[in-house]
Amino acid sequence: AQKVTQAQTEISVVEKEDVTLDCVYETRDTTYYLFWYKQPPSGELVFLIRRNSFDEQNEISGRYSWNFQKSTSSFNFTITASQVVDSAVYFCALRAYTGANSKLTFGKGITLSVRP
Amino acid sequence: DTAVSQTPKYLVTQMGNDKSIKCEQNLGHDTMYWYKQDSKKFLKIMFSYNNKELIINETVPNRFSPKSPDKAHLNLHINSLELGDSAVYFCASSQVPGSPYEQYFGPGTRLTVT
């Protein structure tokens, strides 16, 4: 069985602060994929990043960065210099590479509020 | 040039009615999914189809029946609607099943059963 834990439920920061969203996962598979999705107040789900289990390089995209640590089964997401538009629910998700019926398992999401 | 579209966006209906939600993707993907997001924002997969064939069927009541007329469309029909069916339903698509590729989601359909 696979599981994604996002222990933080709600985070509130003031604009321009840095914020890290934590994600811890469990899986017995040796090959798996991790994802982050953003759900803004408008409701759609927006794909942010995919990371393969065999690629532990961190990634930076503008103000966003992701830290994947296999040793601690974590895939954390940092927003630098947060902006009001970053206010959203952020989901971490995991899919094991076990064939056609592999499922995407989501964490419960973290609600981020960025205040002006 | 919408990638994954769903209709309707909002659906308000009474208990006991039957309703359908339609989904279409123009990404050329082989696999489509239905997810349910409850009031606490928890997302859970319901069904997955690959090239019109059902490959994932979670423990969903029989009142829910997906139908895929072709690989670009996946509809969800719900019979005898109950209050507990109120949720946001998301359609998604991805490239071949079991691949590492991300899933792209539609805008969601907010179903309210009164």
Side-chain angles (χ1 to χ4, degrees):
Chain A
Q2 54 191 38
K3 185 178 177 183
V4 176
T5 301
Q6 295 181 263
Q8 304 151 311
T9 52
E10 292 185 14
I11 300 176
S12 182
V13 299
V14 176
E15 210 169 15
K16 297 184 184 174
E17 281 185 29
D18 298 347
V19 58
T20 295
L21 311 181
D22 298 333
C23 174
V24 173
Y25 61 91
E26 295 174 31
T27 180
R28 293 178 184 171
D29 292 90
T30 53
T31 302
Y32 50 88
Y33 305 93
L34 295 160
F35 305 83
W36 277 94
Y37 283 84
K38 174 182 179 180
Q39 187 174 37
S42 50
E44 72 273 23
L45 280 158
V46 179
F47 164 74
L48 294 178
I49 190 171
R50 178 189 78 229
R51 175 61 68 215
N52 305 331
S53 58
F54 44 86
D55 178 6
E56 288 195 66
Q57 280 191 349
N58 292 329
E59 183 152 341
I60 298 174
S61 176
R63 296 183 297 107
Y64 295 172
S65 62
W66 290 269
N67 184 331
F68 175 35
Q69 293 204 342
K70 215 167 173 177
S71 59
T72 56
S73 297
S74 65
F75 186 41
N76 297 337
F77 174 26
T78 297
I79 302 174
T80 303
S82 60
Q83 299 177 1
V84 173
V85 292
D86 296 327
S87 296
V89 181
Y90 290 88
F91 293 95
C92 180
L94 163 72
R95 187 167 83 197
Y97 187 62
T98 55
N101 59 351
S102 64
K103 300 169 200 168
L104 189 61
T105 298
F106 284 87
K108 292 188 176 181
I110 301 170
T111 300
L112 174 65
S113 299
V114 182
R115 309 187 307 276
Chain B
D1 59 343
T2 305
V4 183
S5 59
Q6 292 178 231
T7 53
K9 188 163 175 62
Y10 300 97
L11 187 51
V12 181
T13 188
Q14 291 184 328
M15 282 174 52
N17 285 348
D18 302 339
K19 290 293 178 186
S20 291
I21 305 172
K22 296 186 176 182
C23 178
E24 177 181 2
Q25 56 96 2
N26 62 5
L27 296 167
H29 288 164
D30 291 322
T31 310
M32 296 184 72
Y33 311 81
W34 278 111
Y35 286 85
K36 180 179 180 181
Q37 185 174 46
D38 63 23
S39 57
K40 294 185 179 178
K41 297 281 189 180
F42 186 59
L43 274 158
K44 192 169 191 304
I45 189 165
M46 300 172 69
F47 303 101
S48 171
Y49 267 76
N50 180 52
N51 274 328
K52 303 192 294 176
E53 181 184 345
L54 181 66
I55 54 173
I56 293 176
N57 185 349
E58 287 295 276
T59 48
V60 177
N62 291 338
R63 300 181 294 102
F64 289 79
S65 54
K67 283 193 172 52
S68 182
D70 55 61
K71 75 173 192 176
H73 296 84
L74 179 62
N75 304 323
L76 183 65
H77 189 75
I78 315 170
N79 290 328
S80 304
L81 278 154
E82 299 177 357
L83 292 176
D85 297 332
S86 296
V88 180
Y89 293 84
F90 285 97
C91 176
S93 73
S94 69
Q95 294 186 31
V96 293
S99 74
Y101 297 107
E102 55 274 12
Q103 296 178 16
Y104 289 92
F105 287 78
T109 295
R110 181 174 294 276
L111 171 64
T112 304
V113 182
T114 61

